Amino acid sequence: MNPTTPSEWAARIVTRHPTLAQPVALALHLAETGHVHTDGPQVQVESSDGRNTYTLRYVEATGAWLCTCPAFRYRPYYVGPVAYCKHTLARAIAARADKHHHLRVTAIHRERNRHASSDEPWTKTPVAFFTDGRHETRHAITDDQYDQLAAIATDDDYHDHDYIAYNQPIQWHDVFSEDRA
């Protein structure tokens, strides 16, 4: 049976990693009470009292999430070489429970850029445009993510060199290895 609710995902993490029981309980509370905020691939988690907001950053090279909270920096919980705090666990629980998988990619582009006062050659940065049904936001993505999204474009989608606009927005699935913990 696949877990679907935040509490089922939390239980699965604790079953696999009993040493995470305490932070998973705290993380579950954050996930269930709406303290996890996702905007495309950007994630912020509010503290339970609402006084602080921590930013989470995905590191593709390691496949891990980093948090700006003091606990992550000074006393994280480890599963093998991967560090966790209650905020990274809350993000994982919320994402697995499909609370934040409502984002869809509407377009991708490799934007040309360079420093304005530079003679350096132009570089291309891959970006994706996301919608949640109400707002559209633009976020940097990796070259690999761009290539994966470009590979599923159809002839019905709008193509203009490195810019692709999808006729039907694409669900932003599990790009960030959600099942690590």
Side-chain angles (χ1 to χ4, degrees):
M1 179 174 124
N2 278 341
T4 58
T5 67
S7 59
E8 289 171 348
W9 278 110
R12 181 177 180 190
I13 293 170
V14 171
T15 299
R16 290 180 174 183
H17 309 288
T19 59
L20 295 178
Q22 180 192 13
V24 166
L26 298 170
L28 176 60
H29 174 73
L30 292 173
E32 288 182 325
T33 56
H35 289 265
V36 179
H37 306 285
T38 303
D39 184 14
Q42 307 300 314
V43 179
Q44 294 188 328
V45 180
E46 288 179 54
S47 60
S48 56
D49 63 8
R51 292 183 187 168
N52 296 304
T53 300
Y54 302 104
T55 301
L56 279 61
R57 182 174 59 89
Y58 180 72
V59 179
E60 185 162 334
T62 62
W65 286 84
L66 304 179
C67 183
T68 58
C69 77
F72 187 87
R73 176 174 274 165
Y74 299 109
R75 55 184 189 286
Y77 299 92
Y78 281 94
V79 174
V82 180
Y84 295 93
C85 66
K86 66 183 174 186
H87 308 107
T88 58
L89 291 166
R91 183 221 54 88
I93 291 167
R96 287 183 181 97
D98 210 21
K99 287 182 104 174
H100 300 291
H101 283 280
H102 60 280
L103 294 173
R104 295 178 311 278
V105 179
T106 58
I108 58 174
H109 186 225
R110 288 191 197 265
E111 295 180 345
R112 285 182 54 181
N113 55 49
R114 71 175 178 188
H115 192 272
S117 63
S118 172
D119 290 334
E120 294 177 11
W122 288 91
T123 60
K124 289 190 175 186
T125 304
V127 296
F129 298 88
F130 294 90
T131 184
D132 62 3
R134 294 173 294 157
H135 301 50
E136 186 167 272
T137 56
R138 175 191 157 283
H139 296 282
I141 59 174
T142 66
D143 285 319
D144 189 42
Q145 291 165 341
Y146 175 92
D147 292 341
Q148 289 174 13
L149 290 166
I152 58 177
T154 67
D155 291 338
D156 292 336
D157 297 322
Y158 177 78
H159 295 262
D160 185 10
H161 301 285
D162 289 330
Y163 178 80
I164 300 171
Y166 297 101
N167 215 15
Q168 295 293 318
I170 297 170
Q171 186 72 30
W172 182 257
H173 289 291
D174 207 9
V175 176
F176 295 120
S177 302
E178 297 297 335
D179 203 24
R180 283 189 66 86

